[in-house]
Amino acid sequence: MQLAAAAYGVKKTGATLTLLVDDINVRTYMVRSGFLAAVTNVAAIEPACDDTTLHQFDHLHGSNPLLLEVTKIEKGTDLPELLDRTVALLRTRLSYRQDDAYDVFTVISEVAQNTFDHNDDTFGFLALQTYNPRRGGRFIEVGVADFGAGLRATLQHNPSLQLPAHDRDMIALATRLGISQHQDLTRGTGLHHLIRIAYEHEGSVHIRSGNGKVSYRGDKQQAWRFTVPPMPGVHIAISMKRRSP
């Protein structure tokens, strides 16, 4: 999902992106997850993928309640159906109470809405997958990403903010309550509440923008800041664990 947004970001610069994927298992997963279909017009795949292979799982799209394939989101009306599936997963597979599930729904909705509210001539992607490892218990991971201007360019619209030099510190600033592109303290709640909910439920949140990345772990109640290779837009991955009975 993040790679899908990055592919469109590369295309926007006029460059051509080629993905080299030799492992047949990885290629099959990329087709089943909807990734290859999402980037087919903006990236080349090597070895080349024929049309039959590209669409071999089309009949399964939307059939697995534990998987939301990589899905383009262009406007607010795209979100309710997608997020209803997230709530259903939290309630039925991870044993979340209704109020807690809707808290997660509300925050993910606001974060997804930001992908087109804060950018011109762009859109975002949403994806979800359920994992059931042998240790640690079942969890879901939700990804939201866009290829827009990024957090720094967005926050620069607010002249009252003094932005730090490093993107990793700027991401941390963006998660504080009331920090947004507007000089309105009632705005800028989405990322802050996302971190709060992750901490309450021992989940994790990873936010990447520019050449910065910050990882928040609810079980440790801590955050780690990194400098990483730059990518366009904002990329957010949210992991939520199964609740105890």
Side-chain angles (χ1 to χ4, degrees), residues 15-219:
T16 300
L17 177 68
T18 300
L19 302 174
L20 305 178
V21 187
D22 293 323
D23 190 309
I24 186 61
N25 294 318
V26 174
R27 289 168 66 86
T28 300
Y29 175 76
M30 293 169 77
V31 174
R32 176 64 187 96
S33 67
F35 169 78
L36 288 190
V39 303
T40 185
N41 295 321
V42 297
I45 310 299
E46 296 293 344
C49 197
D50 62 39
D51 196 61
T52 299
T53 301
L54 184 64
H55 296 287
Q56 64 180 308
F57 297 116
D58 282 3
H59 65 291
L60 296 177
H61 192 92
S63 64
N64 186 346
L66 304 181
L67 170 70
L68 173 62
E69 294 89 352
V70 176
T71 303
K72 183 189 293 187
I73 48 174
E74 298 183 274
K75 52 188 182 302
T77 54
D78 293 336
L79 292 173
E81 180 181 352
L82 301 176
L83 293 173
D84 281 347
R85 291 178 60 181
T86 304
V87 171
L89 267 174
L90 289 169
R91 297 277 288 128
T92 62
R93 307 288 178 158
L94 274 72
S95 302
Y96 275 68
R97 297 190 306 268
Q98 181 173 332
D99 289 349
D100 291 337
Y102 275 100
D103 277 348
V104 178
F105 170 100
T106 300
V107 171
I108 294 176
S109 177
E110 182 170 342
V111 170
Q113 186 82 29
N114 287 344
T115 64
F116 38 86
D117 280 355
H118 292 172
N119 298 291
D120 296 321
D121 191 30
T122 188
F123 48 82
F125 293 92
L126 178 69
L128 176 152
Q129 184 161 352
T130 307
Y131 298 88
N132 196 12
R134 293 180 179 178
R135 293 184 178 182
R138 178 177 285 170
F139 68 95
I140 66 168
E141 185 166 282
V142 182
V144 182
D146 65 63
F147 56 99
L151 283 175
R152 179 174 295 278
T154 297
L155 294 180
Q156 282 176 340
H157 287 104
N158 186 342
S160 68
L161 295 179
Q162 185 170 2
L163 302 184
H166 297 292
D167 285 343
R168 62 181 185 269
D169 300 322
M170 183 269 307
I171 294 171
L173 172 67
T175 66
R176 288 168 49 187
L177 187 63
I179 299 297
S180 78
Q181 65 177 324
H182 306 283
Q183 296 187 66
D184 179 352
L185 294 180
T186 65
R187 307 291 292 270
T189 62
L191 292 179
H192 174 81
H193 289 311
L194 181 61
I195 306 305
R196 175 184 61 79
I197 288 172
Y199 280 178
E200 287 179 358
H201 299 289
E202 296 187 356
S204 64
V205 178
H206 308 276
I207 305 173
R208 182 169 180 167
S209 185
N211 67 354
K213 178 180 177 180
V214 183
S215 296
Y216 298 86
R217 281 191 45 186
D219 59 338

